[in-house]
């Protein structure tokens, strides 16, 4: 996980597109003493050429970086939200021939739908100058997702995730002049929550589960990576 020092230049932008597309973007970047910070917001809405299909998407991010002694520290937070209904699975030959109207129901399969919510936090510590020395990363994420695809007839196969993911990495980077480098360290990851695949009918859950996972996954490892030139 890497957080760039500072951030993008301050700006505001608005955009309009065909079929109801509209977008607003705002960004701020500045310095206060030893702190450099940025904030970014992006909001997007669009309607499809096909009636009943649409997308709503928001992305918010902020972060800061500072140098203390021989170390550079940075913190970043991000929130992402999306909701959509797609147009369904269209036959290209009929679409190209102009036989599929904007308001015509999908004859082959139900329209897919979905949503997502992700909020993440990442902290980094690294040398203030160069790459040699200790590097550390800690991160955590609240992850929610729902995605439905046609399962035939009036049935959707819907995947639902409600999970908390966290982890980190600690490593030391050795640099041998301009010739070689070696990075050794350890990392861990924790994934806790539900991962469900379920049949829905008429946009409502049924008692049929394709997968129902109550996860508590913990992994840890050691690594080494070298480079020679």
């Amino acid at each position: 996980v890497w957080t760039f020092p500072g951030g993008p230049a301050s700006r505001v932008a608005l955009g309009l597109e065909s079929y109801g597309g509209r977008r607003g973007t705002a960004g701020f970047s500045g310095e206060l003493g030893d702190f450099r910070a940025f904030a970014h917001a992006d909001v997007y809405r669009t309607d499809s050429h096909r009636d009943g299909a649409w997308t709503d998407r928001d992305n918010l991010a902020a972060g800061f970086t500072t140098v203390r002694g021989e170390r550079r520290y940075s913190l970043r937070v991000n929130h992402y939200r999306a909701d959509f209904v797609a147009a369904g699975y269209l036959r290209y030959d009929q679409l190209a021939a102009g036989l599929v109207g904007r308001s015509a129901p999908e004859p082959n399969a139900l329209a897919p739908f979905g949503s997502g919510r992700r909020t993440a936090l990442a902290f980094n510590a690294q040398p203030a100058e160069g790459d040699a020395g200790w590097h550390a990363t800690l991160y955590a994420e609240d992850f929610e997702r729902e995605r439905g695809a046609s399962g035939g007839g009036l049935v959707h196969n819907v995947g639902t995730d409600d999970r908390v993911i966290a982890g980190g990495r600690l490593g030391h980077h050795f640099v041998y002049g301009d010739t070689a480098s070696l990075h050794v360290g350890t990392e861990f990851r924790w994934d806790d929550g539900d991962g469900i695949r379920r049949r829905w009918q008429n946009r409502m859950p049924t008692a049929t589960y394709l997968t129902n996972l109550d996860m508590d996954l913990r992994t840890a490892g050691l690594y080494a990576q070298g480079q020679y030139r």
Side-chain angles (χ1 to χ4, degrees):
V1 179
W2 173 257
T3 299
F4 290 101
S10 300
R11 66 196 185 282
V12 175
L14 298 173
L16 295 175
E17 304 171 358
S18 58
Y19 301 113
R22 56 266 190 211
R23 186 171 206 156
T25 302
F28 165 80
S29 180
E31 298 184 16
L32 179 62
D34 295 331
F35 290 90
R36 300 180 64 185
F38 78 92
H40 175 81
D42 181 78
V43 178
Y44 182 65
R45 303 286 185 269
T46 185
D47 300 322
S48 171
H49 170 75
R50 297 273 290 167
D51 288 349
W54 51 268
T55 296
D56 289 356
R57 186 173 68 236
D58 304 328
N59 195 7
L60 307 174
F64 79 88
T65 181
T66 185
V67 174
R68 289 289 183 267
E70 299 180 352
R71 310 290 298 169
R72 181 186 303 276
Y73 301 97
S74 58
L75 182 69
R76 185 183 68 218
V77 61
N78 183 80
H79 176 71
Y80 174 83
R81 181 200 69 86
D83 297 279
F84 76 91
V85 174
Y89 298 94
L90 304 177
R91 289 181 50 179
Y92 177 76
D93 57 343
Q94 294 184 356
L95 192 65
L99 301 178
V100 180
R102 291 187 62 185
S103 60
E106 170 52 49
N108 303 307
L110 295 177
F113 66 91
S115 64
R117 307 286 187 274
R118 306 185 74 160
T119 302
L121 181 72
F123 170 79
N124 296 286
Q126 64 190 74
E129 301 291 339
D131 291 327
W134 288 99
H135 294 250
T137 292
L138 293 172
Y139 64 87
E141 179 179 8
D142 182 42
F143 175 44
E144 299 180 16
R145 178 178 62 182
E146 182 178 271
R147 182 171 296 177
S150 175
L154 299 177
V155 173
H156 281 96
N157 293 329
V158 179
T160 304
D161 293 278
D162 187 359
R163 296 152 58 189
V164 174
I165 302 169
R169 169 182 283 198
L170 176 65
H172 195 282
H173 196 72
F174 301 90
V175 177
Y176 304 97
D178 295 329
T179 304
S181 65
L182 176 67
H183 195 99
V184 295
T186 182
E187 59 184 338
F188 68 92
R189 187 175 188 270
W190 176 50
D191 190 342
D192 181 75
D194 297 320
I196 297 173
R197 303 296 178 265
R198 191 175 182 181
R199 289 279 172 83
W200 286 32
Q201 187 166 359
N202 296 322
R203 296 294 293 269
M204 294 296 294
T206 71
T208 302
Y209 287 82
L210 307 175
T211 305
N212 189 353
L213 301 177
D214 181 6
M215 295 179 290
D216 186 6
L217 307 176
R218 306 184 187 194
T219 58
L222 303 173
Y223 67 89
Q225 178 177 328
Q227 183 177 18
Y228 174 81
R229 62 181 180 182

